[in-house]
Amino acid sequence: MVNVATAFTPIASLAGGALIGLSAVMLMGLTGRIAGVSGIAVRLFPPYTDRELGGRLAFIAGLIVAPLVFLVVSGKLPPQTIQANGSILTLAGFLVGFGSVWGNGCTSGHAVCGLSRLSVRSFVATVTFMAAGIATVFVTRHMG
């Protein structure tokens, strides 16, 4: 049995959640768009061509640059541990991508934005991916 300790970080978690919520509200308020990362990312590629390309690129760039800003401010990056090989990570990436397409959105679109709009479809999607995540953690920590 693998014993994995998970750090309890209520302040950092609260701050991160508040920033995600604030960014979702700002994107909706300023552009009328939902902050679903998979929807934003997929519209960077053809056949999508419209005036929103710059905003999409800025959004994705922000996701990439944010850890670097954290590094500059704090002097270090949070420790990251991935206990899987490249094949497993590739398979996981394809499954997440498939789930995003099949579920018509990702965790940010459904859980952060959809639930706040009282979307039944987002509620079902969120319950589904949360149950899958909980089951995965349980299996990997207690049966692996």
Side-chain angles (χ1 to χ4, degrees):
M1 174 177 4
V2 176
N3 186 4
V4 179
T6 304
F8 181 64
T9 58
I11 302 300
S13 300
L14 180 64
L19 288 171
I20 290 170
L22 177 63
S23 65
V25 168
M26 287 178 59
L27 187 64
M28 176 65 84
L30 297 172
T31 69
R33 304 274 186 221
I34 294 172
V37 177
S38 63
I40 291 170
V42 78
R43 286 174 180 80
L44 290 173
F45 303 101
Y48 299 100
T49 54
D50 59 21
R51 297 184 314 195
E52 299 291 327
L53 179 63
R56 288 188 194 103
L57 287 172
F59 187 91
I60 298 300
L63 295 176
I64 295 167
V65 171
L68 302 175
V69 171
F70 185 86
L71 175 62
V72 168
V73 170
S74 71
K76 62 180 179 168
L77 287 174
Q80 297 290 316
T81 304
I82 299 174
Q83 298 176 342
N85 63 35
S87 299
I88 295 295
L89 292 176
T90 301
L91 174 63
F94 278 112
L95 290 173
V96 168
F98 175 77
S100 292
V101 171
W102 198 43
N104 250 350
C106 60
T107 56
S108 57
H110 284 301
V112 175
C113 300
L115 291 180
S116 64
R117 293 180 300 116
L118 303 177
S119 166
V120 173
R121 181 176 79 174
S122 289
F123 177 78
V124 171
T126 302
V127 167
T128 301
F129 65 69
M130 288 299 291
I134 290 166
T136 300
V137 169
F138 181 82
V139 168
T140 58
R141 289 192 178 183
H142 301 288
M143 301 179 131

